[in-house]
């Protein structure tokens, strides 16, 4: 069930193993010091054996632990603690505090619903134990105190986890989206390309379009770096306007952009590239001060499996076509020709953006 799915399965499994081993060790030590008699002793020994067997299973197969185990094990722990306390007629603070172990584990590693549900179950077990073994006044006092601790602990851990999740989501967004253009980063593009190249839907193949803004340094020198930033945003907008919903438009770095077109023949990719250049010619960029900037780009198009069969080869083929467009006079599209380029040619390294250079400085 999703409600029992841990936030980090590996970390949760390690923590659960530690909790189980500690519980087994404490229970075994307590039994050795003050061994109960008869059936109770057999019950305690059986619980210790089951705990150690469960911990061994978690150690041997940590990746095969189903999500429900992370909820069922702490819940079973609460029931076991309550049964042992009643069986041994032990309602001491040392016995009651064990209700908090499952609470802390679940609140730290599972979601909000599971945390509060387990806390309620633990406090119900505490109320049963104290109600059966203590006077009414002592039972109410102990239950209120332990409930206050459990609720506070759960609230603090749930709040901390929520804040951590928010920060992680923000970091993932920053890692996935270029802050200047709003396009995805190269990392996202690489992941999407790897997925497209290994997808079962490969009848039309995968096209890759590499875009380099012409004379970008001259734009920065003539109009200033803020104008260069606007040019990059402008080119990105024109690319997004001509590609379909399934395309991935990315800023690789500097003045280089790319478009991944899954399930797209090379002819269609070329048409998209030509349409992008047509839009750039038809839509000049007007700066805030009224100056007009004419923007053009050179574009290289490659296709898998026509020009390459893997991601590295696709980059190399598109890069070779891009430089062919540059040599041909810029402001044009070139399609990779012939077999895949040799693998010993290095992958194109995007020029660092201005903000990257500032960050390194």
């Amino acid at each position: 069930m999703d409600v029992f799915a841990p936030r980090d399965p590996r970390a949760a499994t390690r923590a659960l193993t530690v909790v189980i081993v500690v519980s087994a060790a404490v229970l075994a030590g307590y039994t050795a010091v003050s061994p109960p008699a008869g059936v109770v002793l057999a019950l305690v020994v059986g619980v210790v054996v089951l705990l150690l067997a469960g911990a061994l299973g978690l150690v041997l197969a940590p990746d095969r632990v189903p999500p429900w185990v992370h909820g069922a094990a702490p819940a079973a722990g609460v029931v076991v603690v309550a049964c042992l306390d009643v069986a041994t007629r032990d309602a001491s603070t040392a016995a009651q505090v064990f209700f908090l172990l499952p609470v802390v584990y679940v609140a730290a590693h599972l979601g909000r619903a599971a945390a509060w549900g387990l806390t309620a179950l633990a406090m119900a077990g505490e109320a049963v134990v104290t109600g059966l073994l203590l006077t009414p006044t002592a039972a109410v006092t102990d239950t209120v105190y332990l409930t206050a601790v459990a609720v506070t602990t759960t609230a603090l851990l749930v709040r901390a986890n929520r804040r951590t999740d928010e920060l992680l989501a923000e970091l993932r967004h920053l890692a996935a989206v270029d802050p200047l253009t709003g396009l995805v980063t190269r990392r996202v593009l690489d992941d999407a390309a790897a997925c497209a190249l290994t997808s079962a839907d490969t009848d039309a193949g995968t096209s890759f379009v590499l875009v380099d803004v012409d004379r970008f340094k001259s734009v920065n020198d003539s109009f200033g770096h803020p104008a260069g930033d606007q040019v990059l945003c402008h080119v990105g907008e024109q690319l997004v306007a001509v590609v379909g919903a399934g395309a991935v438009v990315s800023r690789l770095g500097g003045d280089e952009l790319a478009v991944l077109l899954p399930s797209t023949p090379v002819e269609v990719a070329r048409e998209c590239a030509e349409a992008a250049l047509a839009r750039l010619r038809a839509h000049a960029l007007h700066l805030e001060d009224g100056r007009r900037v004419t923007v053009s780009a050179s574009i290289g198009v490659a296709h898998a499996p026509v020009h390459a069969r893997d991601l590295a080869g696709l980059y190399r083929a598109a890069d070779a076509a891009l430089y062919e467009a540059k040599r041909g006079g810029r402001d044009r599209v070139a399609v990779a020709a012939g077999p895949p380029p040799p693998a010993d040619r290095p992958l194109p390294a995007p020029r660092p953006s201005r903000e990257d250079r500032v960050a390194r400085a």
Side-chain angles (χ1 to χ4, degrees), residues 18-44:
V18 171
V19 169
I20 291 176
V21 170
V22 169
S23 300
V26 172
L27 186 58
Y30 173 81
T31 303
V33 173
S34 301
V39 178
V40 176
L41 177 61
L43 175 63
V44 172

Side-chain angles (χ1 to χ4, degrees), residues 85-86 88-96 126 129-130 133-134 142:
D85 286 351
V86 172
T88 59
R89 303 196 64 79
D90 185 1
S92 65
T93 302
Q96 295 179 49
E126 161 71 5
V129 170
T130 57
L133 302 180
L134 299 179
D142 283 10

Side-chain angles (χ1 to χ4, degrees), residues 20-339:
I20 291 176
V21 170
V22 169
S23 300
V26 172
L27 186 58
Y30 173 81
T31 303
V33 173
S34 301
V39 178
V40 176
L41 177 61
L43 175 63
V44 172
V45 172
V47 170
V48 172
V49 171
L50 287 175
L51 287 173
L52 293 177
L56 181 61
L58 293 176
V59 171
L60 295 178
D63 296 326
R64 297 183 180 180
V65 180
W68 60 265
V69 169
H70 295 279
V78 169
V79 175
V80 169
V81 170
C83 291
L84 287 177
D85 286 351
V86 172
T88 59
R89 303 196 64 79
D90 185 1
S92 65
T93 302
Q96 295 179 49
V97 78
F98 273 89
F99 282 113
L100 294 177
L101 278 179
V103 170
V104 172
Y105 166 77
V106 173
H109 294 282
L110 273 60
R112 178 179 179 180
W116 286 114
L118 199 283
T119 300
L121 177 63
M123 293 308 95
E126 161 71 5
V128 169
V129 170
T130 57
L132 292 176
L133 302 180
L134 299 179
T135 64
T137 300
V140 171
T141 301
D142 283 10
T143 300
V144 169
Y145 283 162
L146 197 66
T147 299
V149 174
V151 169
T152 302
T153 300
T154 299
L156 290 175
L157 289 174
V158 167
R159 179 183 176 85
N161 288 340
R162 184 173 67 248
R163 180 56 180 160
T164 299
D165 291 341
E166 291 172 352
L167 292 174
L168 287 175
E170 184 176 351
L171 288 175
R172 292 191 189 99
H173 177 76
L174 291 175
V177 178
D178 175 57
L180 175 62
T181 62
L183 305 176
V184 301
T185 60
R186 181 167 185 165
R187 178 180 179 179
V188 175
L189 180 74
D190 287 351
D191 290 343
C195 181
L197 291 173
T198 57
S199 173
D201 183 19
T202 57
D203 291 342
T206 298
S207 289
F208 185 74
V209 178
L210 198 57
V211 182
D212 187 271
V213 179
D214 293 332
R215 300 182 177 87
F216 185 67
K217 184 178 184 301
S218 297
V219 173
N220 284 330
D221 293 342
S222 301
F223 298 95
H225 288 287
D229 291 345
Q230 292 183 54
V231 166
L232 293 176
C233 294
H234 179 68
V235 174
E237 290 171 359
Q238 307 315 311
L239 289 172
V240 171
V242 300
V243 299
V248 180
V249 185
S250 167
R251 182 189 178 195
L252 300 183
D255 60 333
E256 291 184 332
L257 294 85
V259 182
L260 178 73
L261 297 165
S263 302
T264 303
V266 65
E267 295 82 5
V268 176
R270 181 187 181 105
E271 291 174 1
C272 287
E274 294 284 6
L277 287 186
R279 287 187 63 89
L280 286 175
R281 298 182 190 114
H283 299 81
L285 174 63
H286 294 276
L287 304 178
E288 294 180 356
D289 59 7
R291 290 181 296 174
R292 183 176 182 273
V293 182
T294 300
V295 183
S296 68
S298 300
I299 301 179
V301 179
H303 183 272
V306 175
H307 305 115
R309 294 190 177 276
D310 58 14
L311 180 56
L314 197 58
Y315 269 108
R316 282 191 289 267
D319 186 53
L322 171 63
Y323 279 95
E324 186 63 31
K326 291 281 189 184
R327 287 190 292 267
R330 296 184 174 88
D331 190 24
R332 64 188 62 210
V333 176
V335 177

